[in-house]
Every structure is written in structure tokens, then in C-alpha cells.
Amino acid sequence: KLASHELLDDYYDDENWMGMMLVRAYMVTKNNVYLSAAETIFNDIKGGWDTSCCGSVKGGIWWNKAHSSKATASNGGPMILAALMYQVTGNNNYLTFAQTVYDYWWTNMVDNKTYHVYDNINTSGQKNTVWTFTYNEGLMIGAGVHLYTTTKNEKYILNSINIARFMMNSSEVVSSSHGPVLYDGASCSGDCTQFKGPAYRNLIELAACPYVKGQQQQFYQQLVKFLQSCVDSLWNNAQNKDGLYAVNWAGPTATGTVTLGAEDSAVMAQILYAAQFDN
């Protein structure tokens, strides 16, 4: 059994990644230790939901326990975790929470014209509408896919498609010799080097949704082509002679010290693509 002090953190988004890993481990192994640990984490994250702040319409999950802001990182991820918990337990409380967080974030933190997902809102009610990260759009795409899967409400999957369209036609994409690839800016460092991994994973999940392939065929073909150009460029442009990857998927190849986040995201993208499309 994992003790709570081994699972919990001061940042709800970091807790959430552990929670999603644990519930997916349970899906594979059916080991209740993993599910119990995921429940512990989820309950702590749920405690971060707050309706006393921020701005004119209050709600959302705090980014951290210091209550400095509310971020897409700490709201989009828990929507996915809650949906996964519902899938494995059938407990409607998880689904209700996922929908509550989604509805708040979609209404207040997504541009209803462009479908850009805002990064955060501070305690003064100021929304950061400037930053664009693949991570933010990716989380909302994934949340929509999981909520469509569980409810069959088309609004969720259509929202995810619109966010993906924004993503693939924004500054979150850069050209490469193999086509467009995900991009988080020339100064991407620290945690940012890992952002493209979750974004790519959720784009793969969007492509894997039967509704997208069956009802949105033109978009589906565009998405599959984009997913392929990302991994083709990774392999051919961003990989050095030692098999290590640059942060920029368009290249040039990595030189000097590489980051775990960059390697993790690059390898994950290629594994996900192969698992989904290589028959």
C-alpha cells in the first residue's frame, strides 16, 4: 500500500499526472493498490476545487495549495482523471465532477471564437490569454474525448475537434521538412520541454475516436497526416547519432545535454503513433 505522503504534492497538476498513471496501471493489472492510490490523489485534487475566486465567475481548481492561480494544467488534467475513474468504477460522482470542471473551464477559459485555451487566471481575476502551449489545448482535447466516450454527448468531441483545428493552425505548430510539427516556442525549457508529449497523446486519442473517423472524415485525414509528420520529423530531423532528441521536433538535432522531458515526449509520440497506425 502506498502512503498518502508518498502520493500527494503541493501542485495539483503534478498530483494529477501520478493519478492518471495509477488508474491506467489499474486498467492493465486490475491491482486494487493502484486504484486505491488513484482515489487518494483524486480526492486531494477535488479538494482544490474552489468557488470563492477568481474574477466575475468563480470556480476552478487551484494550481497549487498556495492558491496562487488556477491553471489549465490543474483543471484539464483532473477532467481526464475523473473520467477515467468513472470508467473503471462506474461511480457517477467522478463523472459529475469531470463535467462540472469541464463546463466551468470551457465557458470561462476557452476563446469561443478561436478555441484557444487560456493558460491561467490569477487571484485578481486576470486571465492569461497570451501564452500558447500545446499542453493546454492538448488537455482540453483529451478531456473532451473522454467525456464524449463516457456520455456520447457530441458537444464534447466537437469541442475537441475545434480546439485541435486551432492548435494545428496556430503558433503551436512550426514547419519542418516533413511537414508541420508541434512547437512550444524557441525558448521552451524546463517543464515546457515535455508539453508536446501530453498534447500528442491527446491528439492520438482524438484520432482513435470512432466518431472522428466516421463522422469527420476530412478532419480525420488532416489530423492523421499531421500526427505522421510529427513523428517523421522527430525521427529524421530531431534525432542525433546517439538516438537522443532535440526539444524542437523540426530539428536541428540535439547537441550537448538533453532533457528528460524532451526525450520522454519524443519517445512517447513515436510509440503512440506506431501503436495506433502501424498494422
Side-chain angles (χ1 to χ4, degrees):
K1 182 178 180 179
L2 298 173
S4 61
H5 71 271
E6 297 175 306
L7 298 170
L8 306 183
D9 187 76
D10 288 335
Y11 289 83
Y12 291 114
D13 58 327
D14 293 341
E15 285 186 351
N16 191 77
W17 287 112
M18 177 64 79
M20 287 194 290
M21 181 275 291
L22 288 164
V23 73
R24 285 169 174 146
Y26 170 78
M27 289 175 167
V28 173
T29 67
K30 303 306 179 186
N31 186 330
N32 283 318
V33 169
Y34 298 133
L35 181 59
S36 177
E39 289 171 337
T40 296
I41 291 172
F42 173 82
N43 288 332
D44 195 63
I45 294 170
K46 187 177 181 181
W49 172 264
D50 166 73
T51 56
S52 68
C53 186
C54 308
S56 58
V57 183
K58 297 171 174 56
I61 301 169
W62 290 105
W63 178 45
N64 55 20
K65 293 173 182 176
H67 295 178
S68 62
S69 66
K70 295 175 180 178
T72 295
S74 57
N75 284 267
M79 300 173 205
I80 299 173
L81 175 59
L84 290 172
M85 294 294 290
Y86 171 74
Q87 289 172 31
V88 300
T89 67
N91 185 333
N92 279 318
N93 290 331
Y94 291 118
L95 179 58
T96 298
F97 186 72
Q99 292 174 306
T100 297
V101 180
Y102 184 96
D103 289 345
Y104 175 81
W105 213 252
W106 176 263
T107 301
N108 295 285
M109 293 296 289
V110 179
D111 188 308
N112 62 14
K113 294 180 180 178
T114 67
Y115 301 102
H116 171 211
V117 181
Y118 302 148
D119 185 80
N120 68 80
I121 181 170
N122 67 21
T123 55
S124 299
Q126 295 176 314
K127 298 177 184 180
N128 185 331
T129 63
V130 177
W131 291 355
T132 56
F133 291 121
T134 59
Y135 182 53
N136 291 335
E137 273 70 32
L139 287 175
M140 285 298 291
I141 289 168
V145 171
H146 282 282
L147 284 169
Y148 169 74
T149 300
T150 56
T151 68
K152 302 306 178 187
N153 187 329
E154 290 185 9
K155 77 173 185 179
Y156 294 119
I157 199 69
L158 293 174
N159 287 347
S160 290
I161 289 170
N162 282 327
I163 294 172
R165 285 194 176 111
F166 164 82
M167 193 179 194
M168 293 189 293
N169 291 281
S170 73
S171 61
E172 293 172 21
V173 167
V174 68
S175 297
S176 79
S177 60
H178 287 269
V181 300
L182 290 174
Y183 182 68
D184 279 306
S187 60
C188 182
S189 61
D191 289 348
C192 176
T193 64
Q194 199 164 17
F195 286 178
K196 294 185 291 294
Y200 192 90
R201 177 181 190 127
N202 288 306
L203 286 171
I204 284 280
E205 294 195 352
L206 181 62
C209 178
Y211 178 93
V212 176
K213 187 175 183 179
Q215 303 295 322
Q216 300 284 332
Q217 293 181 8
Q218 183 177 4
F219 168 77
Y220 174 77
Q221 294 300 327
Q222 293 170 343
L223 177 57
V224 172
K225 186 176 180 180
F226 175 73
L227 291 167
Q228 181 175 350
S229 67
C230 284
V231 293
D232 284 348
S233 185
L234 263 171
W235 185 260
N236 292 287
N237 295 334
Q239 182 183 198
N240 68 17
K241 62 182 179 60
D242 297 316
L244 300 176
Y245 295 91
V247 174
N248 188 345
W249 289 5
T253 57
T255 58
T257 303
V258 298
T259 70
L260 179 60
E263 305 315 293
D264 175 52
S265 291
V267 171
M268 181 168 65
Q270 292 171 90
I271 291 171
L272 288 167
Y273 182 86
Q276 182 64 35
F277 298 112
D278 286 1
N279 299 316

